Amino acid sequence: MTRRAVSSVVAAAVALVLATASVAAESDHGDDPVLDTKRVEALMPNAKVRSIAPVPMQGGLYEVIDQQGNVFYMDGGATIGFQCEVFDVATRRNLTQESLARLNAVDFKALPTELAIKRVKGSGKRQIAVFADPDCPFCTKLEQSLEGVDDVTVYTFIYPIESLHPGATARADRIWCATDQDAAWRAWVLEGRDVPATAGSCASPTAKIAAIASKFGVNGTPSLVFGSGRVVYGSVSREAIEGYLDEPALPTAPAQADNSGPTTGR
């Protein structure tokens, strides 16, 4: 069996352990379900199981996320470890990605939206904040996707990354100082029509926005923060944007027990 196939079987086994954890916790060990080939292949029709063997785990399974966002799983005795993505087999939900989304969630109300270019479309009842570099091609692609989204308020934080796009800061300042900021922003990213250099100057918030981006862990563009608190990096489709806009607020990540003292997440 190849290493990839072994990883797939391990991931499936871990998912099944998680999916049945609450049931197993309430039953005697003698009543615990036994994983067999028939059960696995019923849940995963494309999987042709070669072997199944119990893993000697101690004290249950724990999800561990480090400061770099790496996720791995260990048993209570710290003797068995998995590095994989875990799914709820019945619903196909990616439990690993859901944990990361909760951990990285941002309180939308904490964003200083007065530093952003505001655009209201339709009722404006849904909210999204976008950190965007005016010279980032992926930001242009995202803006094209946003054109097809209605009933939304878009807050654009102009976040030029000068090291990647020399001159982007000056262009960001010109857009901010324009009489109609939103029109100037869209004219540039959608049509390539720049704000004239003679348009005047004003106090630009680009330095403050860079500090806010650092505070919230944003180090690339485009980066999106939805009203639910979800953070998404990179250009995404209109369909994906619609789905994220309509999701409820993300639940708070559960507190973690630690014998060495309390810890907090970002």
Side-chain angles (χ1 to χ4, degrees), residues 32-117:
D32 285 350
V34 176
L35 188 63
D36 57 23
T37 298
K38 182 177 180 181
R39 187 177 181 203
V40 172
E41 293 185 349
L43 290 167
M44 305 169 63
N46 293 327
K48 299 303 178 184
V49 178
R50 181 174 178 179
S51 69
I52 297 178
V55 176
M57 300 179 63
Q58 303 181 43
L61 187 67
Y62 292 83
E63 180 183 79
V64 182
I65 304 177
D66 67 16
Q67 292 293 340
Q68 286 70 47
N70 299 308
V71 185
F72 52 98
Y73 299 86
M74 298 182 71
D75 69 344
T79 58
I80 300 294
F82 306 91
Q83 190 165 17
C84 58
E85 291 193 346
V86 175
F87 294 81
D88 181 309
V89 177
T91 64
R92 298 297 192 266
R93 287 167 46 218
N94 188 321
L95 304 181
T96 302
Q97 290 302 317
E98 288 185 8
S99 291
L100 285 171
R102 290 194 301 271
L103 190 67
N104 295 325
V106 166
D107 180 1
F108 197 92
K109 295 179 181 178
L111 292 172
T113 52
E114 70 277 6
L115 301 179
I117 297 174

Side-chain angles (χ1 to χ4, degrees), residues 127-142:
Q127 297 185 98
I128 181 175
V130 181
F131 288 81
D133 184 320
D135 289 351
C136 161
F138 298 104
C139 298
T140 295
K141 185 176 180 180
L142 175 66

Side-chain angles (χ1 to χ4, degrees), residues 4 7 9 31 34-35 42 58 64 67 82 87 93 100 110 116 123 151 154 169 199 207 213-214 221 228 232 261:
R4 179 175 296 179
S7 298
V9 172
D31 296 329
V34 176
L35 188 63
Q58 303 181 43
V64 182
Q67 292 293 340
F82 306 91
F87 294 81
R93 287 167 46 218
L100 285 171
S123 68
D151 294 329
V154 181
T169 301
S214 177
T221 59
S228 64
V232 176

Side-chain angles (χ1 to χ4, degrees), residues 170-225:
R171 176 168 286 112
D173 292 345
R174 292 198 301 272
I175 292 172
W176 178 262
C177 295
T179 302
D180 188 333
Q181 297 171 329
D182 182 52
W185 168 257
R186 295 173 65 207
W188 169 246
V189 296
L190 294 175
E191 302 173 25
R193 291 191 289 113
D194 205 352
V195 178
T198 58
S201 61
C202 67
S204 170
T206 50
K208 292 181 180 179
I209 290 173
I212 294 299
S214 177
K215 175 182 176 181
F216 289 106
V218 173
N219 54 21
T221 59
S223 293
L224 299 77
V225 181

